[in-house]
Amino acid sequence: MTTLQLRFDAIQQAITDAAVDAIVIIDDRGIVRFFSPSAERLFGFNRAEVIGNNINMLMPAKDAKLHDGYIQSYKSSGRAKVIGIGRDVQGRRKDGSTFSMHLSVGEAQTEQGRLFVGICHDLSEYKALMEQLSSAERRYKDIVQYQREFICRLTSSFRLSFVNNAFCQQLGYQESEVIGVSLAEFIHEDDRSKVDRLLQTLRHERGEASLSVASAVLDNMGGTHFIEWTFRTVPASSEFHHEIQVIGNNITEQVKAKQHARFLAEYDSLTGFFNKDGLMQAFAKSHVPQRLYAVFFSDCYRFRLINEKYGQDVGDLMLMEAAQRIKSVMPADCLACRPGADDFVLVLPLREQADALLLAEQLLQSFVQPYYLAGEKLVPSAAIGISFYPDGATELPLLIRQAESAMFEAKASNQAIRVFHQDIHQQLTQRLEIEQGIRRALDQNLFEVVLQAKYNLEDMHLNGYEALIRWHDPELGTVPPDVFVAIAERVNLGEELDLWVLSNVLQQIATWRQAGYQVKPIAVNITAAHFSQPELFNRVAEMVSHLDLSMDCIELEITEGVAMGNSQVILDNLQAFKNKGVNIAIDDFGTGYSSLAYLKDLPVQLLKIDRAFIQDIEHPKNFGLVNAMIAMADAVGMQVLAEGIETERQRDILLKMGCDLGQGYLFARPVSYAEIEKGWI
Ligand code: C2E
Ligand code: MG
Ligand code: MG
């Protein structure tokens, strides 16, 4: 063994002792001749166990088998695998475990023969570190890949050098399709220059900087996404400093929700026209102060009846078609608005005022063409009021009110088109005062109920009463009910008004009952919209039972339009009242367009022929009509009442015709509760 031991001088000895890397020297048969102290530490053998043995004891089995062959081949061919090159190989420790090391080998011709000096640098710690690093990188890559945000990198020329899954999936691309492509190609052209400017700014930043911008982005299918981008550069000292890191937050849903909210805030969802706020904004933005504008206010006044008769859906379809007709007739720069219900407001730039009349005519023509809906031909009628900017006013809300009052005026005078003038202005002011007055009167209980008696014409027996509302306002004076009831209906106060009268009447009946008076039924007028309310019956029933009364102490009067509306709610209400013994009368009969043939199937007991026919009953036309109404009502088993009988002659004629009941100044005027009581005493 000792002959195998190499002899070192003092310096060589010191070097091999001090070296951190293991030094192993073998001869050309592969026999270990030297094994340094660091080699003992690395391999776990002591030198006595190794020296004199084949070096392959320090190798894993697969290398060990081949090693002698390597030496042989090197000796014969001179082609080295390791010598002078160095490579990473596996070492084997005494305990059998293997590890990575970097092996470099030098060759020496010595007096002790041909020797190979191997320096083994332990790589196990380094390898473990590398493994840790790459698993950390894998973890971070995973996080980046599966973020909901787009995470990308751009080269200095703003081309994509990395994109995560979110970018590919949300925009519908394969990674390979986008790498190397300029980011600008994905940005919507309207936003491209904005994003580009921002990137240019960022490129000139020296240190770390980040900038944000939102833009529309097109996906592979041509769909639009809204992305909030944050672009970041890294400091110049970093090796990545030419790169731009990108985070993109897909805010499409929020943007769409906002857009929808804005649409709802400014537009009418049924017609796509502006709502009132939208119109105000659009006019404020677009109007030219020196220019002439006309404001049209149109109202299709059969729409409401159509809604009641055929249901909301048909009403909606009709409004949508009306909107289409407006669009087809009006100039493109017209601002169209549906402020609510069946009204339309149009604002039109004009050359001269006369053009407004022409346009209004055209509009009217197209409005009143028949509508073919719900399997029927429906023919509405319309009225248009017109006001002018800047002549009438410069404020749009005022112009709209002016046009609206002109429209009312048109309707009242049976005209189709009316231009606003100052007289109308007074009526408008009055209307507004009345509207506010009604609210005040409801709050402060300023209304009163009077009763008008109804009689059996044959024997002049009292049949019952009709309750009629009265309003003496401290500021407005006495306001006639047909004026304020119509206004109340228009501003949705009809229901409140009805309930006020109902409760007043019921309380009075209860008071009289308690005092021992037996009162004939009192008829209460119910506004059109109110009778289409599903809650009506229960409300009335509750009020009645609350006062311990029976339902048949009242009667209800509804107008023809309501009775004709064959909506289920109306039919249900009619039936429910009938079942509880509440008689229903059709008020003002003959003024609408109902057919008796239809009315005969309804649970309605009484027809009240409008005063207009009675007033001039001797006129042959009226005479014939009233006669026919009475005969037909009789045939279908309904009672008939003639309204507004003022003379004996009228009464006699009606009596002859077979009219059952009568109401009018001839018999009794509407009087207060106190007056009624006086009559009993
Ligand atoms: P209406 O329901 O047809 O009421 C009959 C109207 O004719 C009453 O007018 C009554 O005073 C009037 N009248 C009765 N006999 C004669 C007569 O011989 N000659 C003349 N010239 N008129 C007569 P009033 O009280 O002014 O009411 C007008 C309309 O206002 C009512 O017509 C009704 O539609 C409505 N109205 C009145 N009170 C109420 C109410 O409490 N609720 C509702 N919803 N509407 C009401
Ligand atoms: Mg009535
Ligand atoms: Mg009437």
Side-chain angles (χ1 to χ4, degrees):
M1 277 292 213
T2 33
T3 53
L4 286 169
Q5 185 88 44
L6 295 176
R7 286 178 303 279
F8 285 174
D9 61 25
I11 293 176
Q12 288 167 330
Q13 191 65 48
I15 291 171
T16 53
D17 282 354
V20 175
D21 287 343
I23 301 171
V24 181
I25 301 177
I26 59 172
D27 61 21
D28 60 2
R29 292 164 302 145
I31 302 300
V32 177
R33 304 287 298 275
F34 176 76
F35 203 63
S36 70
S38 52
E40 291 182 320
R41 286 195 294 277
L42 181 60
F43 289 95
F45 289 105
N46 65 40
R47 76 179 66 171
E49 290 170 303
V50 183
I51 290 177
N53 289 323
N54 194 302
I55 181 74
N56 59 17
M57 69 183 289
L58 302 178
M59 299 173 189
K62 69 174 173 30
D63 297 334
K65 272 193 277 180
L66 303 171
H67 191 257
D68 282 348
Y70 292 156
I71 297 181
Q72 283 313 318
S73 128
Y74 175 63
K75 282 201 293 195
S76 56
S77 71
R79 274 200 302 275
K81 278 199 179 296
V82 190
I83 301 159
I85 305 166
R87 62 192 297 174
D88 289 355
V89 297
Q90 294 283 305
R92 178 176 166 274
R93 296 192 188 89
K94 186 177 176 182
D95 64 10
S97 63
T98 57
F99 63 96
S100 294
M101 61 183 195
H102 186 82
L103 173 67
S104 32
V105 179
E107 186 181 357
Q109 287 294 347
T110 69
E111 56 202 31
Q112 298 167 66
R114 190 182 198 180
L115 296 175
F116 300 102
V117 180
I119 314 279
C120 311
H121 179 74
D122 184 7
L123 290 178
S124 35
E125 268 183 31
Y126 170 77
K127 285 267 163 150
L129 207 64
M130 288 304 286
E131 182 47 43
Q132 267 177 18
L133 265 176
S134 75
S135 98
E137 188 174 328
R138 269 198 308 278
R139 281 210 305 276
Y140 285 117
K141 213 167 173 173
D142 253 24
I143 293 174
V144 165
Q145 281 300 3
Y146 295 103
Q147 282 304 305
R148 279 180 53 242
E149 284 78 27
F150 297 175
I151 298 175
C152 322
R153 277 197 308 266
L154 300 182
T155 63
S156 54
S157 56
F158 311 140
R159 288 176 185 280
L160 289 161
S161 57
F162 171 83
V163 292
N164 69 344
N165 286 348
F167 184 95
C168 294
Q169 280 165 5
Q170 292 177 37
L171 300 185
Y173 290 103
Q174 297 292 325
E175 185 183 351
S176 57
E177 293 174 289
V178 301
I179 295 297
V181 177
S182 165
L183 180 69
E185 294 199 16
F186 299 91
I187 308 273
H188 191 282
E189 55 183 343
D190 293 350
D191 290 338
R192 225 170 262 168
S193 62
K194 171 172 79 175
V195 175
D196 194 57
R197 249 179 286 129
L198 189 110
L199 288 171
Q200 297 292 356
T201 314
L202 205 60
R203 185 155 57 182
H204 294 112
E205 291 288 336
R206 312 222 100 248
E208 182 178 333
S210 95
L211 290 171
S212 298
V213 66
S215 84
V217 166
L218 295 176
D219 67 24
N220 199 11
M221 310 291 287
T224 305
H225 300 247
F226 295 93
I227 309 295
E228 208 169 55
W229 299 104
T230 301
F231 298 106
R232 194 172 91 84
T233 53
V234 287
S237 57
S238 157
E239 61 177 304
F240 304 113
H241 89 277
H242 286 305
E243 270 185 11
I244 293 176
Q245 298 175 355
V246 185
I247 293 183
N249 196 358
N250 196 331
I251 52 167
T252 309
E253 303 246 314
Q254 292 100 301
V255 171
K256 291 208 165 140
K258 251 194 218 160
Q259 284 175 343
H260 187 61
R262 203 175 315 141
F263 178 83
L264 291 183
E266 290 175 20
Y267 294 90
D268 163 43
S269 53
L270 189 65
T271 57
F273 282 4
F274 289 117
N275 60 21
K276 220 166 181 175
D277 285 349
L279 179 70
M280 297 297 157
Q281 287 173 28
F283 184 69
K285 257 188 251 163
S286 69
H287 88 284
V288 184
Q290 305 78 14
R291 222 176 152 178
L292 170 69
Y293 293 87
V295 176
F296 285 8
F297 196 109
S298 83
D299 172 284
C300 305
Y301 45 96
R302 290 257 173 84
F303 271 27
R304 203 161 308 181
L305 294 177
I306 282 157
N307 250 348
E308 276 160 16
K309 186 165 175 192
Y310 298 97
Q312 182 95 25
D313 290 350
V314 176
D316 283 355
L317 283 174
M318 197 150 173
L319 283 169
M320 280 151 76
E321 187 168 339
Q324 277 309 319
R325 294 183 186 185
I326 293 177
K327 266 191 219 152
S328 66
V329 177
M330 288 291 119
D333 51 2
C334 156
L335 303 177
C337 160
R338 185 170 81 104
D342 44 11
D343 302 329
F344 288 103
V345 173
L346 309 175
V347 179
L348 304 137
L350 292 179
R351 269 184 304 116
E352 51 186 338
Q353 290 196 348
D355 292 348
L357 288 176
L358 247 115
L359 282 166
E361 283 286 356
Q362 280 175 13
L363 184 62
L364 216 58
Q365 283 307 313
S366 83
F367 253 166
V368 299
Q369 294 303 311
Y371 294 72
Y372 295 93
L373 295 168
E376 296 212 30
K377 175 179 167 184
L378 310 174
V379 187
S381 38
I384 298 178
I386 305 175
S387 63
F388 289 108
Y389 170 99
D391 280 17
T394 49
E395 301 290 306
L396 187 55
L398 186 54
L399 283 160
I400 294 174
R401 262 185 284 150
Q402 290 179 346
E404 186 184 14
S405 50
M407 180 275 294
F408 276 120
E409 183 54 22
K411 261 162 78 168
S413 54
N414 261 333
Q415 286 175 306
I417 299 171
R418 198 68 193 251
V419 176
F420 173 81
H421 55 85
Q422 278 310 313
D423 294 353
I424 300 180
H425 177 68
Q426 270 161 14
Q427 287 166 20
L428 165 71
T429 321
Q430 195 194 4
R431 222 174 62 83
L432 286 175
E433 278 173 3
I434 291 174
E435 186 185 317
Q436 285 157 6
I438 296 170
R439 294 177 205 275
R440 191 174 57 231
L442 279 168
D443 277 355
Q444 303 173 5
N445 236 1
L446 297 180
F447 292 118
E448 197 196 325
V449 171
V450 291
L451 298 181
Q452 186 178 29
K454 302 183 288 180
Y455 292 95
N456 223 317
L457 286 183
E458 191 89 49
D459 54 13
M460 281 313 287
H461 275 113
L462 179 68
N463 169 271
Y465 303 92
E466 177 175 5
L468 296 160
I469 193 164
R470 291 291 174 265
W471 179 21
H472 308 284
D473 191 85
E475 285 172 34
L476 303 172
T478 300
V479 189
D482 34 12
V483 172
F484 73 82
V485 170
I487 294 176
E489 284 198 78
R490 195 150 173 99
V491 296
N492 293 328
L493 288 172
E495 189 175 325
E496 247 185 281
L497 211 64
D498 291 350
L499 293 174
W500 186 90
V501 174
L502 263 169
S503 121
N504 188 286
V505 165
L506 287 168
Q507 263 160 28
Q508 189 57 49
I509 297 175
T511 310
W512 278 332
R513 286 269 161 96
Q514 274 161 19
Y517 296 118
Q518 279 305 312
V519 200
K520 293 271 183 190
I522 300 179
V524 174
N525 292 282
I526 301 293
T527 51
H530 194 190
F531 206 83
S532 330
Q533 297 285 317
E535 310 84 45
L536 176 71
F537 174 77
N538 285 336
R539 271 202 203 141
V540 175
E542 231 168 73
M543 288 163 88
V544 168
S545 79
H546 188 67
L547 291 165
D548 235 358
L549 298 170
S550 65
M551 288 288 273
D552 57 4
C553 72
I554 51 162
E555 296 178 347
L556 300 179
E557 293 191 8
I558 56 175
T559 51
E560 272 177 274
V562 179
M564 289 296 289
N566 63 355
S567 91
Q568 198 51 47
V569 182
I570 292 173
L571 291 177
D572 290 349
N573 273 335
L574 285 172
Q575 197 57 53
F577 282 116
K578 183 195 163 142
N579 294 345
K580 289 288 172 193
V582 178
N583 279 346
I584 309 264
I586 308 283
D587 206 354
D588 306 338
F589 189 75
T591 55
Y593 56 100
S594 32
S595 77
L596 255 180
Y598 175 73
L599 288 179
K600 80 174 183 343
D601 296 326
L602 293 176
V604 165
Q605 292 74 35
L606 181 66
L607 280 193
K608 296 184 77 175
I609 302 179
D610 194 74
R611 186 159 58 86
F613 301 95
I614 311 301
Q615 239 174 357
D616 204 3
I617 196 166
E618 286 181 87
H619 189 287
K621 202 169 147 196
N622 288 340
F623 189 92
L625 271 172
V626 174
N627 212 0
M629 285 189 232
I630 293 172
M632 284 170 82
D634 199 37
V636 298
M638 270 189 215
Q639 279 204 308
V640 182
L641 180 145
E643 294 186 314
I645 305 178
E646 292 182 353
T647 66
E648 309 257 344
R649 177 128 184 94
Q650 289 165 345
R651 186 210 41 207
D652 292 344
I653 295 173
L654 286 159
L655 199 52
K656 264 202 209 116
M657 287 178 176
C659 181
D660 308 293
L661 304 170
Q663 184 179 348
Y665 293 169
L666 175 67
F667 316 118
R669 289 193 171 249
V671 292
S672 67
Y673 295 145
E675 293 284 329
I676 298 274
E677 278 177 22
K678 267 190 221 156
W680 295 335
I681 297 167

